[in-house]
Amino acid sequence: MTTSTPRSPEAAPLLELRDVEAGYGPFRALFGVSLSIPPGHVVALLGSNGAGKTTVARVCSGLVAPTAGKLLFEGNDVTGVRAYRIARLGVAHAPEGRSVFASLTVEENLLLAFRVDLGRKLAPEAVARAYELFPRLGERRKQHAGTLSGGEQRMLALARVLVNPPRLLIADELSLGLAPIVVEEVYRTLGKVRDEGAALLLIEQHVKHALALADDVAVLNHGQVNYYGPASELGDLSERLLPAASNGSHA
Amino acid sequence: MTDLITYVLRGIPFGCVFALVAIGLVLTYKTSGVFNLAFGAQAYVSAAVYYDTHVRHKWPIIPAFVLAVLVFGPLVGLVLDRLIFRFMRTAPHVARLVAALGLLVAIPQLVNLWFGQSPSFGVEGIWPSSQGSNFAVYHFGDYALNGDQVATLIATAVVVIGLTALFRFSDIGLRMRAVVESARMTELSGINAGRVGTIAWMLSSLVAGLAGVLLAPLFAQVSATNFTVLIVAAIAAAAFGGLTSIPLTLLGGILLGVAQGLLGGYLPPASVLAQGLRPSLPFVALFLLLIFWPSLRNRREVTDPLAGVDPPPPGLAALERSRGLTWATRIFALIVLAIAIPFVLSSNYWLLLGTEAVILSTIFLSIVVITGMAGQISLCQATFAAIGAFTTAQLVSNYHVSVMITILAGAAMAAVVGALLAIPVLRLGGIYLALATFAFALMFESVLVPLDWVGGGANPIKVPRPKFAGIDFANNKSFFFLCIAILAVVSVLVIFVRGGTIGRYLDALRGSETAAQAIGVNPTRARIIAFSLSAGIAGLGGGLLATQTGIAQPADYNSFLGLFWVVLVVTLGSRTVEGAVQAGVAFYVVDEILKRIGINQSWQPILFGLGAMTYAKHPEGILEFQKRQSLAFVQRHLDRMKRRGAPAEPAGADEAGAVAPTPAQPSSERVGAD
Amino acid sequence: MALLEARDISKRFAGITALDDVSLDVEAGEPVGLIGPNGAGKTTFFNCLLGLLRPDGGRVVFDGRNITRMPVYKRARLGFGRTFQRIELFSGMTVRDHLLVAERAHRGTASLWKDMLNLSRATTEEIEKADATLELLGLLDYANRPIESCGLGRGRLVEVGRALMTEPKLLLLDEPSSGLDRVETEELVTTLQSVQRERGTAILLVEHDVEMVQSFVSRLYVLDFGTLIASGTTAEVLGDATVRKAYLGEYV
């Protein structure tokens, strides 16, 4: 643990899933998932492909409405509430893959977000700060975001949460397809976001990285949570649980 | 030299007309992602309201204008968004185009129902001083403008400046563009995508209303067709602006108007060129622009990165059902036929309808090939049918060839034209392909059909019934069976092609074009074959239709009728042969039913037009969806019976084959789910 | 002469130089890797090799033929096989169908009429060939499953199988471990190695997973800012100071 302030697990959870079931049309992806994220905590969500990690992220941000169970934000029921309302509560979701508007320029991508978060007056200032943090984006401000490389797109997505940290950041496979040196940088950035007081829900293939940052770990297998507890206590279990989770899809 | 300047200047107000409409199209496309072919229909609503209040009920201009443009314009947009496009915000672009096509068919009929059939409003301009027959004329040096032209110029300027400012400086402009790319990702930024989308529709509908009221005086009569033709003409200007740039669109519109002015000035007015080329210039321009304009060529639409949130599209019921059920369906179809045929034969009236339904089904099979199998929306199937019909007619009347042979020659001619058209057009994808085919249809109609050696000029050509193998098909009953035989042959051909190599290639191309190319599939070849086959089938049907009616009449192959065909087939089911046949039968049966129960027949296009909205939800077609539902029902009961009969067998043993996924079964390991 | 020779490939987008005189060789039967930071131009280079982009300068020679301007599908017939970073499968088809359509596309197209009216969906011979490949990949049990029921890992294997049906001389793999977990990646590496050994297929691997690259390729190229900064045997390149700085960071 590298964090300075100790966190008590008894604090009221920022976001909580209770027995959530969800899916896509006839396909069910989650079978009664319960998970709670305390304020300022970093939770790593691990599991094999197809275990339902992305669906958990989508339920948390309101993109997918649960078919059963409840979603609570600071104790208030937000089940079935539209995504934009949940976003306004301070939940930022960087979805897997491309998470920027390809048809807008870099600057427009930033303005779009900052005008919602901070209002028209403060937005240009925030954009300027984003360029300070990522000079590469400043060089490409007039370029369409779709023409950026994968790493630059990820920077653009991160620039927003760095300048204006959310209460909860859901990061789905942020390091996917990035060079090791960029992955390092992404994790440094996530560390900064955490230090500013944001809670994180990390979905990762790079278990090593995720565990280095996480307070708690949830292991998902076939749409159900197999293990949920402090990352430090995962220890021996990790050997047993993680390969099992990885093998899940071949069972 | 002064002539030249006069012609150019005369073209500018016309150019502004094109520009105003084209900017409306660009606005809708930019803010809602819909290439709104129904824009003309929306304009028509406001025009109708304006003239009903102002001319019929003698309202003063200002209140009539406020009601028609400022109230009805946005209201139409609000209704369309709430009832339809709200549910299509995450649908693919082609689905939205189909919905717009449906509206194009449905809205004018609704307006006509409301104001009475074919309203012929008094046509007066909006400019206050231009009332009555004394048009106000304003002089600018040597050049004179009337009040309506002044109004159009001012309105165009206001719209251009207003929209440019909106997109450059306002939040909502930026948000609208974001929603078009991905409504879900916009919501993740805390923006209510639903509200943004509604505002976008109200705004673009307001511009449509403004255009409608301003432009109505241009036409001798306020009719929906006039508006729609104007819209299609204006697409050329929108294409010039790459469907995104408002200033370029304005320039494109003005260039188009000036070009028409020049043609009108320099070509001898009575010549074929002047009569054919001038009105069709916009379509020619659109066709050439789509093919050669660099900003449109090879353009790919931006896809929603969060599309995976939607459930995957279902496969064909026919591929998932068990063998036994397939046979049961076939036997059921035979029984229906056995009942239907004697009924059709019972009276001449029904025989006529039955024969036309069978011929139409044949034509609709061409839509199954191009849309269902190749996944492309072609809007010129009626043109291919016309090519078949005219070739048949010309050969019969000029060379006295046997009719059966000329019908085949017509089909071959259509196939050749289809292949030639496919080469440039197929490089375009999605809506651009649809637009290019529609431009081709209008070009054909306005340039070639009036010619003596194509459409026969003022007098349509007569076509006799065929006579061969000792049977004279002048007898309606034998002709009916001939048509059924042809339909059967074409159906079998389509089924074979679908199962054969080309069919598989087309399946692969629909699944992933890049992956198909990576294994060595030549996409151009596969698609040209599909396009040409489809054109040939349409041509065959067109020839048959001419033989049935005894005359090759351009009105039977009107390109707007062709739009309606596409809407109908796509709505009911464009993936299967049954879908085409059901659409062919429905075309006549629904009409007949409405007639019998005393409901206005214009409800038929309204029903089918609004039915097209279901395309986004059920791209496989409503009937196909119903079929799957009932199959699932039957399968469930069969399973239950089997289980009762043989309790030893485990219930969910589906290792052997692909079984429709049942909701209770955990199937979390799907591509895209995680 | 090498199987694939890319010589001085350059590509510019709107004034930005994405690739600057990049050259790369792949010998027949050899596994080669291409790594580099994001935005280095790997994908651009890959697309230039495959014909999805046309290079502004330089040439691509395959098997002694200049293919710089050859369309994608013709390259496939010459012996290019590929997989995709985000998997590209044919929805609505079964696993076996994927291989069958590839087999038919590879055998090239007979006459127009035969293509259009080929009544049999697949001959026994075709099915046997497809099943042999499925067995090699351990997919035989899933042959009749709809592709939608395959997860990412199995989907990637189907892509490999589909590519193998075209009997490629060179297999181009675009980040094959992307989205796979550790176990799935290991399985994929084992399969690819056996393919490379048994069938003598050359492999060009674009990858971020350094462990996977190390375990697999004999030679490595490193791209940064559109230029090659290193090439040589895997051990040499991974030990190179410039490479460590530009790409690996503190990772190794």
Side-chain angles (χ1 to χ4, degrees), chain A residues 24-28 31 50-55 58 61 63-64 82-84 87-88 93 95 98-104 108 112 115-116 120 160 222 249, chain B residues 169-171 174-175 177-178 181-182 184-192 194 302-303 305-306 308-309 311-312 661-663 666-670 672-674:
Chain A
Y24 307 90
F27 299 98
R28 275 215 315 184
F31 302 85
K53 303 188 298 284
T54 292
T55 311
R58 286 171 178 171
S61 65
L63 277 179
V64 169
R82 295 259 303 278
Y84 75 95
R88 285 181 191 171
H93 179 182
R98 176 162 67 82
S99 59
V100 296
F101 292 97
S103 60
L104 304 186
E108 285 170 334
L112 183 77
R115 279 182 185 166
V116 179
R120 274 185 80 95
R160 187 191 149 195
H222 277 307
S249 64
Chain B
F169 303 113
S170 81
D171 272 3
L174 186 59
R175 289 178 182 188
R177 284 162 58 205
E181 182 175 333
S182 170
R184 292 199 182 88
M185 227 156 63
T186 316
E187 294 233 319
L188 289 183
S189 307
I191 293 165
N192 184 347
V302 180
T303 50
L306 286 172
V309 173
T662 47
S667 41
S668 51
E669 41 169 314
R670 260 188 53 242
D674 207 326

Side-chain angles (χ1 to χ4, degrees), chain B residues 480-524:
Chain B
F480 174 63
F481 283 110
L482 176 69
C483 290
I484 287 200
I486 291 176
L487 174 63
V489 169
V490 176
S491 302
V492 170
L493 177 81
V494 169
I495 290 170
F496 279 176
V497 171
R498 190 170 58 196
T501 307
I502 289 295
R504 309 253 77 197
Y505 286 175
L506 292 173
D507 281 347
L509 284 167
R510 267 210 327 275
S512 161
E513 180 157 348
T514 33
Q517 289 193 51
I519 55 171
V521 173
N522 180 346
T524 319

Side-chain angles (χ1 to χ4, degrees), chain C residues 95 99 127-143 157-158 160-165 167-168 171 187-201 203:
Chain C
V95 170
L99 275 69
I127 292 176
E128 273 168 17
K129 205 180 150 196
D131 284 359
T133 307
L134 287 174
E135 187 151 24
L136 174 75
L137 300 172
L139 288 173
L140 200 52
D141 290 343
Y142 307 99
L157 284 176
V158 173
V160 173
R162 184 176 63 188
L164 287 179
M165 290 304 281
E167 292 171 6
L171 204 49
E187 283 174 2
L188 184 69
V189 168
T190 320
T191 311
L192 288 174
Q193 276 171 336
S194 63
V195 166
Q196 187 249 326
R197 280 185 206 127
E198 284 171 30
R199 304 204 172 183
T201 313
I203 287 177

